[in-house]
Amino acid sequence: MSEKKTRRRGAALEAAILKVAWDQLQAQGYQALTIEGVAAGAATTKTVLYRRWPDKAHLVIATIRKFGNLVSYQVPDTGTFRGDLLDLFGQLASVLDTLKGETFRGLLSDRLKQVKFDQILDRLNNDNALASYVQPILDHAAARGEISQARWPERVVNLPGILLLNEIFSRRELTLAAQTAMVDEILLPVFSVKQ
Amino acid sequence: MSEKKTRRRGAALEAAILKVAWDQLQAQGYQALTIEGVAAGAATTKTVLYRRWPDKAHLVIATIRKFGNLVSYQVPDTGTFRGDLLDLFGQLASVLDTLKGETFRGLLSDRLKQVKFDQILDRLNNDNALASYVQPILDHAAARGEISQARWPERVVNLPGILLLNEIFSRRELTLAAQTAMVDEILLPVFSVKQ
DNA sequence: GAACATAAGATACGGCCGTATCTAATTAAT
DNA sequence: ATTAATTAGATACGGCCGTATCTTATGTTC
């Protein structure tokens, strides 16, 4: 048996760590994943991890960014406002399927602890991610005349995201029935769309 | 100086612990409060605390139940649906003022971690607490003819609670402007109330 | 290729968690 | 009153966190 002599550095080391983190995330879920466990799995030490990520939440975010299929959002264009909203939720549901529901909840729970002075920052970063998905849909609907205007208050634009979060928390999944209910019972009325 | 010889038991001991927990919660906030710290402050050991509460979240809940003014909800009766909704949010805001915003967020964050099989249970307990506040308001509004019916889908009835949570998380507080916006921009449209 | 800078890796620390085990005090039962 | 059942209190453990310190390997630079 040969002793390892090469010492990984930089990007190569980081990639190896993230791979282990992703595997453990899939195998054990968010709660059970520990910094020390990932370090051990990657045959390094937690010192190395703490040099890169401040805590578990950030490590997992980096892992998901690398291995999750999160970046493939396509602006829906079904021809109707309702169809576009359903398509938006459908795409989000398929993303969440690649993660386990527990991962998303655990991650968000961890992050909630830290929202203090980064509130505004957090608001701008996270929420606008989803708001930026919603805005084009509103633009199209307004152009078609389905809704009265394209610009809506921040809370209204963020509403799909809020409903989504609630769904994940309380039900752990995002069923088709739930998607339809959210669109028909809440979103369409808020935008004053007659059904 | 006299050594303490009496050993507190049962309710007396529990009351002493909760008092210390409440003081530390006010002084340090949720994050900084620790089981060991409360035990030390109450001149006992964490074994005693763990016999009573499974974790920090439950200890704090018990503390708030005892010292917070949470139980004084009065069903609003302002004469209008809009007025009742605003009154509901107003009452909630005053409750949250007795807690620090951080306490509520920290507590909820901790609880989110544990929602697994107790999801349904959790749903019934927590959400229905707020839904039970909302339902009388809907009954009154329907009786006055302001809304078309008193029975609405679960998601709709829970919507005020969801909006409230989002407000606490993203803004740390519940301003009057936010309350008005939630009512006028979201809730009234959802219930199809013309403005 | 020698000297320097950088980053990995090893180790140890104090803090808190949650559990287990043992003792000693208090209360209740006979 | 003596005995039995509870429950408080003390102590110790392994686990993980996040930080600090030190050594050692790998580069980069001249």
Side-chain angles (χ1 to χ4, degrees), chain A residues 102-168:
Chain A
E102 185 263 352
T103 295
F104 191 73
R105 275 189 299 114
L107 186 56
L108 194 63
S109 173
D110 263 14
R111 299 230 48 186
L112 283 181
K113 288 201 211 163
Q114 302 170 343
V115 181
K116 285 199 174 179
F117 303 104
D118 21 307
Q119 332 147 28
I120 306 137
L121 203 140
D122 203 69
R123 186 94 193 153
L124 283 180
N125 288 358
N126 293 4
D127 288 16
N128 276 22
L130 224 160
S132 70
Y133 290 180
V134 174
Q135 193 55 56
I137 297 178
L138 296 177
D139 292 337
H140 293 162
R144 282 191 301 260
E146 285 193 85
I147 59 178
S148 60
Q149 68 223 12
R151 303 296 299 169
W152 292 81
E154 187 195 5
R155 273 182 196 79
V156 173
V157 178
N158 284 332
L159 191 53
I162 296 166
L163 295 175
L164 174 69
L165 285 190
N166 177 61
E167 212 61 29
I168 306 290

Side-chain angles (χ1 to χ4, degrees), chain A residues 81 85 138 146-148 152 156 186-193:
Chain A
F81 184 43
L85 288 175
L138 296 177
E146 285 193 85
I147 59 178
S148 60
W152 292 81
V156 173
I186 296 175
L187 292 180
L188 294 184
V190 163
F191 292 102
S192 298
V193 175

Side-chain angles (χ1 to χ4, degrees), chain A residues 35-183:
Chain A
I35 299 271
E36 291 191 335
V38 172
T44 181
T45 57
K46 49 180 181 164
T47 316
V48 172
L49 302 213
Y50 278 112
R51 282 193 193 110
R52 291 174 159 78
W53 305 281
D55 52 38
K56 179 163 88 166
H58 285 83
L59 168 62
V60 170
I61 287 171
T63 304
I64 292 175
R65 285 236 172 88
K66 176 152 194 178
F67 292 99
N69 301 322
L70 301 184
V71 281
S72 53
Y73 175 70
Q74 295 289 331
V75 175
D77 189 15
T78 65
T80 66
F81 184 43
R82 181 173 186 276
D84 284 358
L85 288 175
L86 287 173
D87 190 85
L88 169 64
F89 279 129
Q91 290 193 49
L92 293 173
S94 80
V95 165
L96 289 172
D97 274 348
T98 72
L99 275 41
K100 304 168 112 165
E102 185 263 352
T103 295
F104 191 73
R105 275 189 299 114
L107 186 56
L108 194 63
S109 173
D110 263 14
R111 299 230 48 186
L112 283 181
K113 288 201 211 163
Q114 302 170 343
V115 181
K116 285 199 174 179
F117 303 104
D118 21 307
Q119 332 147 28
I120 306 137
L121 203 140
D122 203 69
R123 186 94 193 153
L124 283 180
N125 288 358
N126 293 4
D127 288 16
N128 276 22
L130 224 160
S132 70
Y133 290 180
V134 174
Q135 193 55 56
I137 297 178
L138 296 177
D139 292 337
H140 293 162
R144 282 191 301 260
E146 285 193 85
I147 59 178
S148 60
Q149 68 223 12
R151 303 296 299 169
W152 292 81
E154 187 195 5
R155 273 182 196 79
V156 173
V157 178
N158 284 332
L159 191 53
I162 296 166
L163 295 175
L164 174 69
L165 285 190
N166 177 61
E167 212 61 29
I168 306 290
F169 282 152
S170 51
R171 271 102 164 173
R172 290 195 69 187
E173 54 182 354
L174 187 57
T175 66
L176 195 56
Q179 299 169 38
T180 309
M182 289 189 284
V183 169

Side-chain angles (χ1 to χ4, degrees), chain A residues 109 115 123 155 167 170, chain B residues 105 109 115 123 155 167 170:
Chain A
S109 173
V115 181
R123 186 94 193 153
R155 273 182 196 79
E167 212 61 29
S170 51
Chain B
R105 276 188 299 115
S109 173
V115 181
R123 185 96 193 151
R155 274 181 196 80
E167 210 60 29
S170 50

Side-chain angles (χ1 to χ4, degrees), chain B residues 51-104:
Chain B
R51 281 193 194 110
R52 291 175 160 77
W53 305 281
D55 52 38
K56 179 163 88 168
H58 285 83
L59 167 61
V60 170
I61 288 172
T63 304
I64 293 175
R65 285 235 171 88
K66 176 151 192 178
F67 291 99
N69 301 323
L70 300 184
V71 281
S72 54
Y73 174 71
Q74 295 290 330
V75 175
D77 190 15
T78 65
T80 67
F81 185 42
R82 181 173 186 275
D84 284 357
L85 289 175
L86 287 173
D87 190 84
L88 169 64
F89 278 128
Q91 289 193 49
L92 294 172
S94 79
V95 165
L96 289 173
D97 274 350
T98 73
L99 273 43
K100 303 167 110 164
E102 184 265 352
T103 295
F104 191 72

Side-chain angles (χ1 to χ4, degrees), chain A residues 1-6:
Chain A
M1 62 224 318
S2 62
E3 294 285 324
K4 268 192 200 155
K5 307 205 177 200
T6 57

